[in-house]
Amino acid sequence: MNNQRQLFQQLFEDNSKKVYHLCYGYTGDRDSANDLMQETFIKVWQNLDKFRNQSQLSTWIYRIAVNTCLSYLRTAKRRATDELNDNIIENYAEEASEKQEQIALLYKSIAQLEENERIIITMVLDEVPYTEIAEVAGISEGNLRVKIHRIKHKLTEIYNSNERV
Amino acid sequence: MKGFDEIQQLWQGQKPEPNVSFETVLNRIKSGKNALAQKLLWQSVAVAIAVIILVWIGIAVSFSTWTTYLALAIMAGCICYYLFNQLDDYRQINNSACLLSKPQDYINYLKAFQQKRNRFNTRNYTIYEACIAIAFVLYGIEMYFVLPFWMFLSTVMFMICWFLICHFVFMKQYIRNENARIQEMITNLERINGQFREE
């Protein structure tokens, strides 16, 4: 039991930040991101004995995080992008600095992407290896590269157009 | 104008970090388990009390017709059926096998689960309504022999009106809302599933 707790604590420390980024990129809302991150780690704890070493632990955790984000639909209606964006800006209003504003703008731009694009790009931004992203998303690496190329281009365009406004 | 590399640098320098500690998650794990167990326990207690009351009525009150006993048995059956389905629902929600599958498969699982719940909820409403109506009709036979005719007739009229309202207003409204909710969810799930397809 103690070993399992230690392993879980290690997993939490190694992965919580990236899982949080994924959830924040997906929901565009800090509170929801914290809830989803907690839910992800609760599921990780409950399923720790089912991990079969077929993939890296981080990939396995990401898979649970992605599916938890997808089931977010079950409990909350998908909010309109404008409402999402207002939320992000509100979240950052308290600590407004030029850099924070740019990050708020970045999250605002991510919120304008499709759901799977948000998931993929947050992992790309966190420098998760492509093989791992492909495994988490359940698509081939070749296909992932095509998608990433398109999403990078799309995000850069959206970000720059938001910056001009 | 920023390029993607600059955007990535910006991302990596961001402050937002989870404001949830490891201890908080551990506590939630403990309380989460307890909350589910507590909920199930209280539901079981409530159902057990309801069934005991029905059995007690059946034993303590001397009814003149067997139809009343059948009505009580139907009511008790409905309550037990409700608890059984609640337990089954909890078991399915906590089925974690699908949680570890590919996002596309997980979306299909969510879709199938929601459709099944929707069929179940809407069908069950009709079943409960029918069972309660049958139970009241059976109890009505006893009342026919016990109550003065005018009182029996007004009770029957009141019950018929109540069932008509339940059927044509509440049930229709409930099924309409459930279907709209599920349709919105399925549309969203299908849209997201489409995004994960190979290009």
Side-chain angles (χ1 to χ4, degrees):
Chain A
M1 189 68 186
N2 249 351
N3 280 348
Q4 197 179 18
R5 193 195 135 109
Q6 274 175 358
L7 171 67
F8 183 57
Q9 186 160 10
Q10 192 60 48
L11 288 176
F12 185 84
E13 277 159 17
D14 293 346
N15 297 282
S16 59
K17 204 170 153 184
K18 286 183 177 181
V19 168
Y20 175 74
H21 287 166
L22 180 90
C23 299
Y24 197 1
Y26 189 83
T27 61
D29 172 63
R30 273 188 196 182
D31 292 337
S32 303
N34 277 310
D35 282 349
L36 285 176
M37 191 205 74
Q38 281 193 65
E39 211 178 305
T40 299
F41 279 97
I42 288 168
K43 287 170 182 171
V44 167
W45 169 266
Q46 287 166 343
N47 292 285
L48 214 47
D49 55 329
K50 294 195 183 88
F51 178 67
R52 296 279 175 266
N53 286 313
Q54 288 156 335
S55 60
Q56 287 184 51
L57 256 168
S58 59
T59 311
W60 185 75
I61 293 171
Y62 261 126
R63 172 68 67 77
I64 294 177
V66 167
N67 285 340
T68 304
C69 285
L70 291 174
S71 66
Y72 178 62
L73 273 175
R74 257 189 349 182
T75 49
K77 281 186 179 176
R78 184 173 176 261
R79 285 166 295 171
T81 315
D82 283 348
E83 192 188 328
L84 255 165
N85 295 343
D86 289 346
N87 232 327
I88 293 166
I89 289 163
E90 266 176 34
N91 283 340
Y92 280 89
E94 303 150 9
E95 40 187 297
S97 69
E98 196 186 341
K99 197 174 175 191
Q100 290 306 315
E101 274 174 22
Q102 286 177 334
I103 291 168
L105 200 65
L106 178 52
Y107 272 105
K108 179 182 170 177
S109 307
I110 291 173
Q112 286 171 270
L113 296 170
E114 298 280 356
E115 283 90 342
N116 84 322
E117 294 175 335
R118 290 181 220 162
I119 287 168
I120 291 172
I121 203 65
T122 47
M123 287 194 270
V124 171
L125 289 166
D126 268 332
E127 295 184 321
V128 177
Y130 283 9
T131 44
E132 206 176 331
I133 302 177
E135 203 178 329
V136 171
I139 52 175
S140 66
E141 207 179 319
N143 188 237
L144 178 78
R145 284 179 188 277
V146 175
K147 279 185 191 282
I148 288 176
H149 179 75
R150 191 170 38 78
I151 303 168
K152 276 181 176 179
H153 184 73
K154 193 172 167 183
L155 179 65
T156 311
E157 263 193 358
I158 295 173
Y159 180 86
N160 286 320
S161 72
N162 283 338
E163 203 175 35
R164 279 196 295 272
V165 177
Chain B
M1 279 287 276
K2 278 192 175 63
F4 185 78
D5 290 341
E6 287 167 276
I7 288 177
Q8 190 157 23
Q9 276 175 9
L10 184 65
W11 174 270
Q12 280 159 0
Q14 67 174 311
K15 266 189 186 165
E17 284 186 12
N19 57 8
V20 176
S21 70
F22 173 71
E23 294 304 324
T24 313
V25 175
L26 258 193
N27 286 336
R28 225 189 109 178
I29 287 169
K30 287 177 196 160
S31 66
K33 275 185 178 170
N34 291 340
L36 181 66
Q38 285 285 319
K39 194 171 178 182
L40 282 174
L41 177 72
W42 285 116
Q43 278 191 343
S44 308
V45 167
V47 166
I49 291 171
V51 172
I52 288 168
I53 290 172
L54 286 174
V55 170
W56 178 78
I57 291 173
I59 294 168
V61 183
S62 175
F63 294 109
S64 55
T65 60
W66 62 268
T67 52
T68 303
Y69 293 103
L70 183 60
L72 287 172
I74 290 173
M75 294 293 255
C78 278
I79 294 168
C80 291
Y81 181 65
Y82 169 79
L83 179 72
F84 171 77
N85 284 312
Q86 282 294 98
L87 293 173
D88 192 48
D89 196 27
Y90 279 123
R91 193 183 55 76
Q92 281 196 41
I93 288 169
N94 288 319
N95 171 19
S96 50
C98 298
L99 183 73
L100 309 173
S101 40
K102 284 181 186 177
Q104 299 92 311
D105 296 337
Y106 187 67
I107 288 171
N108 286 332
Y109 157 76
L110 284 179
K111 214 168 86 175
F113 178 77
Q114 291 299 336
Q115 282 168 331
K116 191 177 157 219
R117 282 297 303 164
N118 181 47
R119 274 197 303 274
F120 181 78
N121 283 338
T122 49
R123 193 192 60 197
N124 261 14
Y125 197 110
T126 318
I127 292 173
Y128 286 131
E129 193 189 53
C131 285
I132 292 168
I134 291 168
F136 274 103
V137 168
L138 290 170
Y139 183 56
I141 296 170
E142 170 103 16
M143 289 297 102
Y144 175 74
F145 295 110
V146 175
L147 292 178
F149 185 71
W150 65 269
M151 198 187 278
F152 170 74
L153 202 63
S154 28
T155 309
V156 168
M157 293 304 286
F158 173 77
M159 294 307 293
I160 289 173
C161 288
W162 174 245
F163 272 98
L164 287 176
I165 291 169
C166 281
H167 185 80
F168 289 105
V169 180
F170 297 141
M171 188 176 98
K172 294 254 184 283
Q173 195 177 15
Y174 172 74
I175 291 177
R176 196 171 48 240
N177 291 345
E178 271 287 292
N179 287 342
R181 187 182 67 82
I182 209 76
Q183 193 47 52
E184 190 190 351
M185 203 177 280
I186 298 290
T187 309
N188 277 330
L189 287 170
E190 279 173 351
R191 181 177 51 76
I192 298 174
N193 208 6
Q195 295 168 11
F196 280 97
R197 283 194 195 110
E198 299 272 335
E199 286 174 5

